[in-house]
Each structure stands twice: as structure tokens, then as C-alpha cells.
Amino acid sequence: MISQWQNHKVQLRSYVSKRVDDTHAIDDILQDVYIKASENLHQLKSKGSLKGWLYRIAHNTIMDFYRTRHQFETLPDDLIAEEHDDGKQAREELAQCLRPLIAQLPEKYATALQLAEIEGLPQQVIANKLDISLSGAKSRVQRARVKFKQQLMACCDFEIGQEGILSYTEKESRLNRKC
């Protein structure tokens, strides 16, 4: 095996060097190829396929090298981490736009929707605040969402894509609704 390895070593080195941009890693990859070939020699079906078999091992070892290689630079420790943006400000701005539409719903639905979507309370807490069962709170929130959607659809035309809402245009107010 060693003599045959020596016959292909120069060609394998050239093969690896053309595919790996880190000159220091070329010899390490060749060594890994030799180790893998030595450990798996029993898998070689015929001596005539040794060259192709070694190239396959070299190819797989190069792929392993790129999989484990870090594609990013580590940040210095002296950088201060920015505050985590949990979208709270964006939700608050959106809530300001939606509150007037929510307020137009019947009171029991408006309250449930306000607590669930604007304040972000869990439905068990909503049930406790409204003094109703958990299943009653879930039903009320779901009905409120349906009514709110109907109200939005009556006020606006939406363009929806795979990413969500792409744009919207206000419809002309026909039924004296406040949109």
C-alpha cells in the first residue's frame, strides 16, 4: 500500500492544493487521506481502482475540511453587545395603528383582543381577568380575531406574498365605517 501511495502522493497533493486555499492545511488533509485509506483498506474492491478510491477519499476529506472550517471571524471581546431588539417598539407602533380598529369591535371582543394581541397576555390570564373559563377566553379571542380580520378586509386591500403582507391600500369608506 505504501509504495502505491507514494505513486499517487504527488498527484493527490496537486489535487488537494487546487481545491484548498489554506496552504498549511494541504499536508494535514493528505495525512488524513492516508489515515482513512489505511483504516479502510478492507473496503477496496480491487487494486485497479486504488487511484479512484484515493481521489474519492481526498474529495471527502476536503469537504470535511470546509464543513468544519469557520466561515466567520470572531468578534473582539471588548465590543459591547447591543441590546437585544425584541421588536417591542415595532409592536407598539403597530398597536397604535390598530387600537382604533379594535375599539370599533363589540366590547367583549375588543377587550379580549386588546389583552391577547396588544398586551400579549397568555389566554389563562385573560380568562382570569375576564372571569371566564380558559376555553371561553380562547373562543372569545378567536372570534375577536375573525371579526377584526373582517373589519380590516373591509377597510383595506392587501397584497400578500410568501413573506407576508407586501403592501396595502385603503378602500374608500362606504358604510361610514372609521377605517
Side-chain angles (χ1 to χ4, degrees):
M1 165 81 177
I2 293 176
S3 65
Q4 292 174 350
W5 166 258
Q6 291 298 329
N7 293 339
H8 299 295
K9 183 177 179 182
V10 174
Q11 293 172 330
L12 281 172
R13 189 172 208 304
S14 174
Y15 176 81
V16 171
S17 66
K18 289 177 183 174
R19 286 157 180 80
V20 176
D21 57 358
D22 184 356
T23 56
H24 301 291
I26 294 171
D27 289 328
D28 292 338
I29 291 172
L30 282 173
Q31 182 177 3
D32 287 344
V33 169
Y34 178 72
I35 290 170
K36 288 177 185 179
S38 297
E39 290 173 350
N40 297 301
L41 190 58
H42 64 279
Q43 292 179 351
L44 182 61
K45 298 203 179 2
S46 70
K47 299 257 185 207
S49 63
L50 176 66
K51 184 175 181 180
W53 185 66
L54 287 172
Y55 276 91
R56 175 53 49 195
I57 293 173
H59 172 78
N60 291 340
T61 306
I62 292 168
M63 293 300 109
D64 291 342
F65 167 76
Y66 280 113
R67 277 188 206 107
T68 59
R69 188 171 154 183
H70 294 290
Q71 296 295 326
F72 57 88
E73 294 180 23
T74 56
L75 293 175
D77 292 336
D78 61 339
L79 283 180
I80 298 174
E82 293 183 22
E83 291 185 31
H84 178 67
D85 179 22
D86 58 1
K88 185 176 181 180
Q89 181 180 357
R91 281 194 304 278
E92 186 57 39
E93 289 174 11
L94 180 60
Q96 293 301 323
C97 294
L98 299 179
R99 278 193 177 106
L101 290 173
I102 293 173
Q104 291 177 18
L105 294 173
E107 184 179 346
K108 69 180 187 176
Y109 297 121
T111 303
L113 196 60
Q114 173 79 24
L115 293 172
E117 302 299 338
I118 304 299
E119 296 180 25
L121 296 177
Q123 291 186 350
Q124 182 62 57
V125 174
I126 294 169
N128 295 342
K129 282 188 172 234
L130 299 177
D131 198 28
I132 57 176
S133 68
L134 176 60
S135 63
K138 288 179 179 183
S139 294
R140 194 170 291 177
V141 169
Q142 282 304 108
R143 288 184 188 131
R145 288 176 179 156
V146 168
K147 289 182 178 294
F148 184 71
K149 180 182 176 184
Q150 290 169 345
Q151 191 174 2
L152 275 177
M153 299 306 281
C155 291
C156 299
D157 286 321
F158 294 94
E159 182 182 343
I160 300 173
Q162 287 181 329
E163 300 84 25
I165 297 175
L166 301 176
S167 69
Y168 71 94
T169 54
E170 257 186 76
K171 291 181 181 178
E172 292 184 31
S173 181
R174 293 185 186 145
L175 302 172
N176 287 331
R177 285 188 168 188
K178 296 180 182 177
C179 290

